[in-house]
């Protein structure tokens, strides 16, 4: 039986674990991810995926997954004294949130501004990496009904230090 190689990011642990699971059986993959996380009820998404993983993984050789106890994260983006918000899966990348923020559904920036746009945590001096999964920035709180992530949209040029 073939093994499937799985990279797993769990909530805000800031590390990627690599596991191998015999075959691509969905229940076995979920069992291994839940065992690794040891957090109880988890939602498991493919990196940047919109829906929890399903049978489509069974023919794959490798997977990149994000596991989180939150099913959705309310992202609030501040720009120029305005705030826009949208629900994202915790598996969404910073790049996906940025694409929304600069689009007509967000702040409707022109092409020049879009090219310079970055997302940052409030008070940070560096932009977030575009390939970062937003669930890694959100700590699960048992008493919270919804989980929020607050970001700043900036057009600052970071190439010149």
């Amino acid at each position: 039986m073939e093994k499937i190689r799985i990279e797993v990011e769990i909530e805000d642990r800031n590390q990627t674990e690599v596991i191998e699971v015999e075959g691509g059986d969905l229940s076995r993959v979920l069992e291994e991810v839940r065992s690794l996380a040891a957090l109880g009820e988890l939602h498991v998404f493919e990196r940047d995926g919109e829906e929890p993983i399903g049978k489509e993984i069974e023919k794959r050789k490798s997977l990149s997954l994000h596991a989180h106890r939150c099913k959705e994260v309310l992202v609030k983006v501040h720009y120029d004294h305005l705030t826009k918000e949208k629900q994202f899966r915790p598996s969404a990348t910073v790049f996906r949130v940025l694409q929304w923020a600069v689009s007509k559904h967000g702040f409707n920036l022109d092409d020049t501004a879009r090219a310079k746009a970055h997302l940052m945590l409030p008070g940070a001096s560096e932009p977030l990496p575009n390939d970062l999964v937003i669930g890694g920035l959100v700590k699960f709180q048992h008493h919270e009904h919804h989980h929020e992530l607050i970001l700043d949209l900036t057009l600052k040029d970071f190439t010149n230090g």
Side-chain angles (χ1 to χ4, degrees):
M1 190 179 290
E2 289 200 26
K3 288 188 175 186
I4 184 170
R5 182 181 185 276
I6 306 171
E7 293 179 351
V8 184
E9 295 171 291
I10 300 164
E11 292 192 358
D12 61 344
R13 292 185 185 171
N14 294 323
Q15 67 185 37
T16 302
E17 302 279 350
V18 177
I19 59 174
E20 288 189 344
V21 178
E22 288 287 337
D25 181 64
L26 177 62
S27 60
R28 190 173 291 135
V29 169
L30 289 172
E31 184 180 310
E32 289 292 326
V33 170
R34 289 190 172 112
S35 172
L36 179 66
L39 294 171
E41 185 58 35
L42 282 177
H43 303 284
V44 182
F45 300 90
E46 244 187 287
R47 177 182 252 279
D48 220 11
E50 278 295 307
E51 297 301 320
I53 63 168
K55 294 276 186 197
E56 78 281 353
I57 69 164
E58 294 187 358
K59 299 283 186 244
R60 307 274 291 280
K61 301 269 188 254
S62 66
L63 286 170
S64 183
L65 303 178
H66 183 77
H68 210 291
R69 286 173 286 180
C70 303
K71 196 170 188 175
E72 291 194 315
V73 175
L74 179 63
V75 179
K76 295 182 177 183
V77 178
H78 300 300
Y79 175 69
D80 202 24
H81 307 297
L82 297 171
T83 301
K84 302 275 183 172
E85 57 185 56
K86 181 177 178 359
Q87 294 276 1
F88 286 91
R89 299 293 192 187
S91 56
T93 59
V94 168
F95 182 73
R96 179 182 288 191
V97 176
L98 179 61
Q99 292 302 101
W100 162 76
V102 300
S103 76
K104 67 181 186 206
H105 303 291
F107 296 101
N108 199 22
L109 300 185
D110 64 36
D111 289 344
T112 305
R114 283 180 193 202
K116 296 190 280 188
H118 295 282
L119 290 173
M120 300 175 63
L121 291 170
S125 58
E126 291 294 317
L128 292 167
N130 281 340
D131 64 345
L132 189 69
V133 173
I134 66 168
L137 301 168
V138 178
K139 186 147 188 72
F140 180 79
Q141 303 289 326
H142 285 285
H143 60 278
E144 297 292 326
H145 288 292
H146 62 273
H147 290 79
E148 288 185 4
L149 175 61
I150 298 172
L151 299 171
D152 292 332
L153 177 64
T154 180
L155 303 181
K156 183 179 173 195
D157 181 4
F158 290 94
T159 57
N160 300 347

